[in-house]
Amino acid sequence: MRLPHALTPAHTVLLPALLAAMLLLLLGTPPAKAAAADPSACALRGTTGWTDEGHDTDYSVFQRPAGTIKVGMIFVDFPDAPATESPADDAAQLTPGADWVWNASHGKAWLAITQQRRWVRMPHNSTDYGFARGLGHEAYLRDAVTAADPQVDFSQYDMVYVVATRNASAISFTPTYVTTLARRVSSPTAPGSSGR
């Protein structure tokens, strides 16, 4: 008569796993919960309207991501930070954003950027706009549009990029004007509203 083999460590691991698999087959698995009928139920809620793109976007402030969006790009320097580079050098770093918008919108939006290839001198020093404290961008944009207005017809653009010289280290980002905002922030006779 043969004696049964002793259980090895491999048997002690495999046996419970085999039993669990057989129980799942015999008893079945519980049904998965159905997905929400409305996909927006899974969306993160927008709370600020400023940084929550895609949800509760305020289109009186933000440009709709559809069609051709006409963008004017103006270049500014300052009494305390005059430009030493060409506007084309700075534009070359920003214009690839048009491709990003096209890709991110799945081909639904395109930025048609018109560059004003000359420097516009701002009326104040770069440090006067308070970018270090997160302040001053509306005054900065208003001053830039007002300073460029004699040379630029802003009425033909949906948005305006204001690009500061790289010598202005106090200007930490490049804000964008949506023209309706430009008219609301500026005086009733806002630059570009004369329909030149």
Side-chain angles (χ1 to χ4, degrees), residues 14-191:
L14 290 175
L15 188 58
L18 183 62
L19 288 173
M22 287 177 36
L23 281 173
L24 279 174
L25 285 173
L26 293 173
L27 299 175
T29 57
K33 292 192 178 203
D38 180 13
S40 66
C42 298
L44 297 174
R45 297 235 354 118
T47 56
T48 67
W50 288 97
T51 58
D52 307 322
E53 286 304 312
H55 308 290
D56 303 316
T57 300
D58 182 355
Y59 288 116
S60 70
V61 176
F62 291 100
Q63 185 69 39
R64 287 191 180 278
T68 299
I69 301 164
K70 295 177 278 180
V71 181
M73 184 179 288
I74 60 175
F75 301 87
V76 298
D77 69 354
F78 304 86
D80 67 329
T84 55
E85 75 275 16
S86 160
D89 293 341
D90 290 338
Q93 304 223 354
L94 297 171
T95 52
D99 292 332
W100 181 88
V101 169
W102 176 258
N103 290 324
S105 69
H106 303 285
K108 293 180 181 158
W110 176 252
L111 298 181
I113 301 172
T114 303
Q115 302 169 22
Q116 307 297 320
R117 294 210 174 194
R118 63 183 151 297
W119 291 105
V120 174
R121 179 59 53 99
M122 294 290 277
H124 303 290
N125 286 334
S126 62
T127 54
D128 292 344
Y129 290 101
F131 274 64
R133 296 186 319 258
L135 306 171
H137 70 276
E138 286 187 5
Y140 167 79
L141 291 170
R142 186 175 32 252
D143 284 354
V145 169
T146 301
D149 190 46
Q151 296 90 27
V152 179
D153 179 6
F154 288 101
S155 68
Q156 62 183 319
Y157 300 117
D158 300 312
M159 294 177 12
V160 177
Y161 287 153
V162 179
V163 181
T165 175
R166 62 183 75 161
N167 296 337
S169 59
I171 305 299
S172 55
F173 63 95
T174 300
T176 304
Y177 245 166
V178 176
T179 56
T180 55
L181 177 62
R183 290 187 183 110
R184 195 169 70 230
V185 170
S186 300
S187 65
T189 57

